[in-house]
Amino acid sequence: MNYLRLYIDKEGGVGIDECEQVSKMIDPLLDEADFISEPYTLEVSSPGLGRILKRPHDFEYAEGREVEVHTYRAIDGEKEFRGVLKAWDKNSVTIADGDRERIFEKNEISLIRLAFDF
């Protein structure tokens, strides 16, 4: 089975109703363009909670928001850190937890994503 996945996002998040609206808008355009020759299923969704940060756009979106950083090896006895994303570049990530700032080299990070609580 083939899938065409379209992720949409906006400030404040995206709900299921908005995903449905976008699907209904884009589906006829895709049918008209007919650029996919094989059968496929269109999926429209939000990147969701716990979005993994990979591309520069992801980091731009997350700047000023709370993130979770997981490291390959323990740093000061810990492998999981949480704080507000303050800065990033191609080599490092800086988070702040209260008055304390931590700088991680990207090659130390196994996973960085938006933090969420239930």
Side-chain angles (χ1 to χ4, degrees):
M1 185 63 132
N2 295 308
Y3 292 91
L4 175 60
R5 290 187 177 100
L6 175 65
Y7 292 98
I8 59 174
D9 200 7
K10 69 174 186 173
E11 194 67 35
V14 174
I16 188 129
D17 292 336
E18 292 154 315
C19 291
E20 183 179 4
Q21 289 172 349
V22 169
S23 179
K24 286 180 179 179
M25 287 182 345
I26 199 165
D27 195 41
L29 299 173
L30 291 170
D31 287 344
E32 183 180 318
D34 197 27
F35 69 92
I36 301 173
S37 59
E38 298 177 25
Y40 66 92
T41 299
L42 173 64
E43 290 182 356
V44 178
S45 65
S46 163
L49 297 173
R51 174 191 301 200
I52 296 173
L53 309 180
K54 294 181 182 178
R55 301 166 300 178
H57 173 76
D58 300 328
F59 284 91
E60 288 171 12
Y61 176 84
E63 197 164 340
R65 299 172 190 262
E66 191 171 24
V67 296
E68 294 178 4
V69 176
H70 298 248
T71 57
Y72 290 109
R73 292 179 297 174
I75 300 172
D76 298 330
E78 300 288 330
K79 290 179 76 176
E80 296 180 17
F81 304 87
R82 199 172 182 141
V84 175
L85 179 62
K86 290 295 186 180
W88 58 274
D89 60 31
K90 68 179 186 171
N91 298 315
S92 65
V93 171
T94 303
I95 65 170
D97 182 14
D99 293 335
R100 183 176 186 180
E101 282 194 356
R102 286 189 175 268
I103 299 173
F104 300 92
E105 295 300 316
K106 282 196 174 171
N107 63 5
E108 297 176 311
I109 299 172
S110 63
L111 172 78
I112 182 169
R113 66 179 172 196
L114 288 176
F116 59 94
D117 292 309
F118 287 102

